[in-house]
Amino acid sequence: MRENARVAADYKGDYQELVDEISELLGAPATLENRDFELLAFGAYDSDDELDTSALDPVRTRSILTRRSTAGVRTWFEGFGITRATGPVRIPPSPEAGVYRGRICLPVRHRGVVVGYVWLLEGESGPADAQLDAAMRVAGRIGALLADEAEAGAGLSRELRAVLTAEGGWQRDMAVADLRTALGPRADGPHTLICVAPWPSADPGDAPSARSVPHAAALCTIPWGATGQSLAVLVRLRSPAVDAPALAAAGRVLEEAEGAWGALRVPGGSGATAQGGPAPGGSGTGTRGAAGKGAGGTSGKGARGPVPRGAGAAVAAAVAAGVAGAGRYPGGLGAAGYGGPAAGIGDPRIGLAELGAVWQEARAAAQAALAERHLGPVAQWRGIGPYRLLTALPPESAQDPAAGPLLSPAHRELARTAEVYLDCAGQAGRTASELGVHRQTLYYRLNRVEQLTGLDLDDGEDRLLLHMALKRARL
């Protein structure tokens, strides 16, 4: 377990040194990517001459700026046999694919398994065979580091999961102590947790590596509801007051979630998954509204800063419907929120002792973002308003008897009318405008609500009860 103390960030300097060594051996800047084409390190352009812009073809530029390559680029390069190669592979230029200059790929292997690639731009006079042989020996050392890091990362996943699933008391204390040992001195700094739900797989191999998620120290899958899964991400922060690292990590993981759900779609675009049921982004109707307050930008009352646009179009777009019970996810998760997975972020803490509480906050924020489209796709616990209390209620309290008749499918429009009226603080003019109906129509509907529920909408406590019951029903 103590070997896990050397976690992902501790390898960064080693990778960079080895990439620089290859760059020096071959006289050209090298880049290192893992087997998923995620950038790990790159050599600097070291020359007294003016920068050769032809070296900055679109594929190389995107890899360095976004630290990853597209699926199309990956498929194109893999077509040259790099996944099976045991020696250098020369790849010719292809301007139509955005590859303006030829590449030399050095497969990075460990015990016969490819774990990454070193890339070089090929010049007019390429490196000699002896130089490439020396570079391949360095690539072998990189392979050992990548394998070592993968083992350490797997350990951190186990330890993080143990903390978040432990029952309280001494069991959680022991799990926290193990995670603190694994993280080393950085365990005492500020951290938060992100919950991404629903996550499509319980298989740890389907989760992204912690290295590919900015500021992530560890991640693991955690059960969500009766049959679903969520992804937990432990994020290191520079300061408890700075949200940017958590928002960047949430956006990156949402990209992964969206891509994974997209891969499960049944060909034909019906919105169903191979496992049955509607996929996120395919609620059955296939309708999508315009982006809500936080779609791809500021996440309304949730995240205070900008949500990375890399969160993906399907995650950032709002579902057009807005009624309780519509647009549910596989396993009955979520209600009328986004057409894809959502992320919740807990409040930061110093150290690891309160990770259990932070995880509950992150889960609550994710639930709120799934329920209310204006809170997503990324919601912070501090900004989810009444859902901070509603998500803490036990499942058996989900429906108050007074609100029961109103929540039946036959009265969906009345439920929406009542919720909008209460959201507008009982102001009839605002409510009618929001619903696009005449005031007399509004008054008729509100009278029907009172008849169905037995509640008096002029009474503050009755209004509070109905408002909370309608909000709770979204969860």
Side-chain angles (χ1 to χ4, degrees):
M1 182 181 300
R2 293 183 182 273
E3 286 80 2
N4 291 335
R6 197 180 184 199
V7 291
D10 297 323
Y11 291 89
K12 187 173 182 180
D14 297 327
Y15 290 138
Q16 190 62 58
E17 290 173 7
L18 293 174
V19 167
D20 289 342
E21 186 175 340
I22 291 177
S23 298
E24 186 175 348
L25 276 170
L26 303 182
T31 59
L32 170 64
E33 295 178 335
N34 64 17
R35 63 184 174 187
D36 295 322
F37 282 59
E38 294 164 340
L39 185 68
L40 304 182
F42 59 92
Y45 182 87
D46 186 15
S47 174
D48 295 330
D49 300 328
E50 186 177 348
L51 177 64
D52 180 7
T53 56
S54 67
L56 302 177
D57 64 33
V59 169
R60 184 179 178 86
T61 301
R62 187 187 192 281
S63 172
I64 292 175
L65 292 180
T66 67
R67 305 194 72 82
R68 62 198 306 237
S69 296
T70 65
V73 166
R74 173 177 175 172
T75 301
W76 190 83
F77 279 115
E78 287 178 343
F80 290 91
I82 61 174
T83 60
R84 303 181 300 276
T86 57
V89 178
R90 282 184 161 85
I91 298 173
S94 177
E96 63 275 12
V99 180
Y100 295 165
R101 292 180 58 180
R103 304 288 204 274
I104 297 177
C105 175
L106 308 181
V108 177
R109 291 183 168 272
H110 181 71
R111 295 181 178 175
V113 177
V114 65
V115 291
Y117 307 99
V118 173
W119 299 93
L120 299 107
L121 295 173
E122 190 162 24
E124 294 181 2
S125 57
D129 290 344
Q131 292 174 292
L132 289 173
D133 289 343
M136 283 299 297
R137 288 193 290 273
V138 179
R141 289 154 57 196
I142 293 175
L145 275 180
L146 282 170
D148 198 17
E149 179 192 6
E151 183 178 350
L156 285 172
S157 294
R158 290 191 297 269
E159 289 151 10
L160 178 60
R161 185 181 296 106
V163 171
L164 301 186
T165 58
E167 292 180 1
W170 65 270
Q171 291 178 320
R172 176 161 288 165
D173 290 343
M174 287 185 63
V176 168
D178 289 343
L179 181 59
R180 183 181 291 113
T181 299
L183 288 172
R186 291 167 304 146
D188 296 326
H191 292 83
T192 190
L193 282 163
I194 296 170
C195 172
V196 176
W199 187 257
S201 173
D203 185 351
D206 292 335
S209 67
R211 172 175 283 280
S212 70
V213 179
H215 315 290
L219 49 81
C220 65
T221 54
I222 299 288
W224 175 269
T227 59
Q229 292 291 323
S230 64
L231 186 74
V233 185
L234 179 64
V235 178
R236 296 183 298 269
L237 302 174
R238 294 188 294 272
S239 162
V242 178
D243 296 332
L247 293 172
R252 175 68 180 85
V253 180
L254 281 175
E255 283 186 349
E256 292 283 344
E258 183 190 48
W261 277 117
L264 291 176
R265 290 183 189 278
V266 173
S270 64
T273 69
Q275 298 173 341
S283 62
T285 64
T287 56
R288 286 181 182 276
K293 291 181 183 178
T298 340
S299 128
K301 296 180 183 177
R304 290 184 297 161
V307 177
R309 292 189 179 273
V315 175
V319 174
V323 291
R328 290 189 178 272
Y329 299 107
L333 305 176
Y338 273 84
I345 303 175
D347 269 3
R349 304 290 202 284
I350 302 296
L352 307 177
E354 295 184 68
L355 279 189
V358 181
W359 175 238
Q360 294 307 314
E361 294 171 359
R363 283 180 56 93
Q367 283 183 278
L370 290 170
E372 291 277 11
R373 66 179 184 177
H374 72 271
L375 294 177
V378 179
Q380 291 174 287
W381 185 81
R382 70 173 73 103
I384 61 175
Y387 287 103
R388 289 164 61 161
L389 296 177
L390 295 174
T391 53
L393 295 175
E396 57 269 20
S397 66
Q399 184 171 303
D400 186 273
L406 192 60
L407 295 172
S408 68
H411 299 302
R412 182 172 291 172
E413 191 60 44
L414 290 179
R416 178 169 178 261
T417 297
E419 186 174 8
V420 173
Y421 175 71
L422 295 168
D423 286 344
C424 292
Q427 298 179 30
R430 282 181 56 199
T431 306
S433 176
E434 183 80 16
L435 294 172
V437 299
H438 193 276
R439 280 199 186 205
Q440 287 304 118
T441 302
L442 172 64
Y443 294 143
Y444 169 77
R445 291 181 182 179
L446 293 178
N447 184 54
R448 289 282 294 128
V449 168
E450 290 183 325
Q451 292 174 0
L452 284 168
T453 62
L455 299 174
D456 180 1
L457 294 182
D458 288 330
D459 181 86
E461 291 189 357
D462 281 3
R463 285 164 67 162
L464 177 62
L465 172 61
L466 181 58
H467 204 182
M468 294 299 98
L470 292 170
K471 295 295 184 188
R472 183 68 174 92
R474 287 182 174 274
L475 299 172

